[in-house]
Amino acid sequence: MYSTLPQPVCVLGSTGSIGVSTLDVLARHPQKYSVYALTARDRIEQLAQQCRRFSPRYAVVLDDDKAAQLRLALQADNLATEVLSGVDALCRVASDDAVAIVMAAIVGAAGLQPTMAAVRAGKKVLLANKESLVMAGPLFMAALEESGAQLLPIDSEHNAIFQCLPYPFDGLGGAGVERILLTGSGGPFRTTDLAALDSVTPEQACRHPNWSMGRKISVDSATMMNKGLEFIEACYLFHATPAEIQVVVHPQSIVHSMVQYRDGSLLAQMGNPDMRTPIAHALAFPERIDSGVAALDLIAQGHLDFEAPDESRFPCLKLAREAMEAGGSAPTTLNAANEIAVDAFLAGELPFTGIARLIEKVMKTTQVVELTDLDAVELADQSARKRAVEVLAELYGAHGGAPSPQTRSK
Ligand code: NAD
Ligand code: MG
């Protein structure tokens, strides 16, 4: 039923890059959306400011100390915002009866439980947290079907593909689709001398040429594991086989992905690289609303380039494809090993090229099991993390392999 009341939105991960972009879009449409809950792990002062600005019913943090800090910060403001803490509280606000839309923008595996809670509660779920889908794909998609929740992709590529497919969509074959072309910029090291990759720093890896993002996804973009995770994400979201998805390097990040049809048509979605476009699209779908993003000036842009990815430069792409082909817990293991590797790289504990090396070794020495339920996902995730820490020590010692101590990120 069409409601004229603002739709209550829960923003999981509101202090992150996607969270902030989401609040920017929501603030442009106060008659359409209200902010019901905001959540964050840290950056309490930023969260307090968001609470002052949006007056959510709930603000949720991970631990009690942070909750106390937030209550203190908000003491003088006389807000009706209730401060909660813990994973259960994250799940509670994501599935609250009063919530219509959930933006799932926590980074990494930590997003799985609250995102699944939103899916199971049948919400309109805006999925930025690709890791939750990668680690629990078949269960995630089954829960979606069972609850009737609506999933709208926020990842710009998947949002682009969604926009280039018919709606409703019931499979590539029925829609006359031959393949999906998943574009990726190639990140900051697309043309860097291969020999220099060993010594690139976290700061260099996080300096993405086109997008401003959180540190974890920025490193993923530099290794192209981000494209690997997106490859898996696309297989699940669009019921595609690995053979039906081709990764294309497109350095300008203007074409966000494409769909090739049987009749020779190639549909692309284009726009300036700004996440507010997919966020606005998903929030209002099927309506179109202002996102604050400037129109794309193709004449100023001049030209668009495309090339095949170089898997010797980006071995993570191959690892992700192999994980998807292996199925079962292999993508879960890949994701967990990657999270450990990226953290270690950001902490100066392994070199950039060690990320793929570590993941490959974990994949080779971990058995693939069937994911029967979320406990099995949790188990596969935890054992892959444990294995990754062992492999890190085997390959690089306690702090071996880092470019230099001053490149540590924290
Ligand atoms: P970010 O690091 O900027 O923000 C992450 C948010 O999650 C923060 O609010 C943080 O407090 C919260 N968080 C972190 N760990 C948590 C935990 N253990 N429990 C609860 N909350 C926690 O990340 P981001 O760049 O906004 O990315 C968020 C998600 O969106 C990621 O899955 C990423 O892959 C995906 N994504 C991001 C972009 C982008 O442009 N930034 C684009 C596409 C997809
Ligand atoms: Mg993306």
Side-chain angles (χ1 to χ4, degrees):
M1 199 180 71
Y2 195 77
S3 161
T4 50
L5 287 172
Q7 292 183 282
V9 182
C10 165
V11 184
L12 300 170
S14 66
T15 56
S17 165
I18 294 286
V20 168
S21 294
T22 302
L23 291 177
D24 182 279
V25 177
L26 293 175
R28 291 166 193 276
H29 304 280
Q31 334 69 352
K32 280 185 172 298
Y33 309 105
S34 64
V35 176
Y36 187 77
L38 296 174
T39 87
R41 182 183 54 181
D42 32 44
R43 301 204 209 141
I44 297 305
E45 190 38 49
Q46 184 189 356
L47 181 60
Q49 279 171 18
Q50 292 180 340
C51 289
R52 287 179 201 116
R53 173 137 193 239
F54 293 96
S55 306
R57 172 74 187 81
Y58 293 106
V60 187
V61 290
L62 260 194
D63 56 61
D64 294 346
D65 285 0
K66 295 279 192 310
Q69 269 179 43
L70 183 61
R71 283 189 198 105
L72 195 66
L74 294 176
Q75 212 169 31
D77 292 292
N78 206 15
L79 293 176
T81 302
E82 193 175 331
V83 177
L84 306 174
S85 62
V87 175
D88 286 350
L90 287 174
C91 295
R92 199 178 117 196
V93 295
S95 57
D96 193 304
D97 280 348
V99 168
I101 302 174
V102 176
M103 165 55 84
I106 290 174
V107 62
L112 179 63
Q113 286 194 48
T115 306
M116 281 298 275
V119 167
R120 284 179 172 148
K123 303 299 179 193
K124 173 170 171 172
V125 179
L126 277 42
L127 184 73
N129 177 224
K130 67 193 87 183
E131 294 92 341
S132 57
L133 186 56
V134 169
M135 66 193 287
L139 296 168
F140 193 113
M141 296 307 287
L144 196 62
E145 192 142 316
E146 201 174 309
S147 70
Q150 185 183 24
L151 191 71
L152 289 149
I154 293 298
D155 224 335
S156 55
E157 296 76 4
H158 306 73
N159 184 269
I161 295 161
F162 180 91
Q163 293 196 47
C164 294
L165 287 172
Y167 187 85
F169 166 74
D170 60 1
L172 297 183
V177 173
E178 262 177 2
R179 62 180 178 169
I180 289 170
L181 277 68
L182 185 68
T183 55
S185 69
F189 305 137
R190 186 176 58 88
T191 57
T192 305
D193 186 13
L194 277 184
L197 285 185
D198 254 340
S199 55
V200 296
T201 65
E203 282 58 42
Q204 288 170 307
C206 288
R207 219 174 291 137
H208 195 279
N210 308 327
W211 299 95
S212 156
M213 309 182 285
R215 284 173 82 75
K216 193 264 176 179
I217 186 177
S218 296
V219 176
D220 284 348
S221 298
T223 59
M224 282 195 86
M225 179 56 95
N226 184 47
K227 215 46 55 185
L229 298 176
E230 290 182 359
F231 180 91
I232 297 171
E233 183 185 9
C235 287
Y236 290 133
L237 280 179
F238 305 114
H239 312 289
T241 63
E244 288 169 323
I245 302 179
Q246 183 187 358
V247 173
V248 177
V249 173
H250 165 48
Q252 293 94 354
S253 302
I254 294 295
V255 171
H256 298 305
S257 277
M258 296 170 265
V259 173
Q260 183 186 307
Y261 285 86
R262 197 177 285 153
D263 61 5
S265 299
L266 185 64
L267 299 197
Q269 187 265 354
M270 293 188 258
N272 286 317
D274 187 321
M275 291 306 294
R276 291 176 300 173
T277 295
I279 290 167
H281 169 268
L283 263 176
F285 180 80
E287 215 187 310
R288 296 277 179 173
I289 57 171
D290 169 43
S291 66
V293 179
L296 174 63
D297 183 345
L298 270 182
I299 292 173
Q301 181 63 36
H303 66 272
L304 301 172
D305 300 306
F306 301 93
E307 63 194 42
D310 173 358
E311 287 192 355
S312 61
R313 177 181 293 275
F314 300 116
C316 287
L317 268 181
K318 183 164 161 275
L319 294 172
R321 198 182 49 247
E322 287 170 355
M324 189 63 209
E325 283 162 357
S329 59
T332 322
T333 303
L334 176 96
N335 180 67
N338 181 54
E339 289 192 22
I340 296 291
V342 170
D343 275 353
F345 169 66
L346 286 172
E349 289 167 11
L350 91 166
F352 182 73
T353 47
I355 297 176
R357 214 169 292 136
L358 186 150
I359 299 166
E360 185 174 17
K361 192 156 182 200
V362 172
M363 298 300 292
K364 277 201 175 133
T365 54
T366 304
Q367 220 185 336
V368 177
V369 298
E370 211 189 318
L371 297 180
T372 44
D373 53 24
L374 279 187
D375 289 343
V377 173
E378 182 74 22
L379 196 65
D381 177 72
Q382 289 305 321
S383 56
R385 281 169 199 272
K386 195 163 154 259
R387 181 75 195 114
V389 171
E390 287 164 11
V391 172
L392 177 65
E394 282 164 29
L395 290 177
Y396 297 101
H399 294 296
S404 69
Q406 64 270 28
T407 60
R408 281 166 164 273
S409 65
K410 288 174 195 154

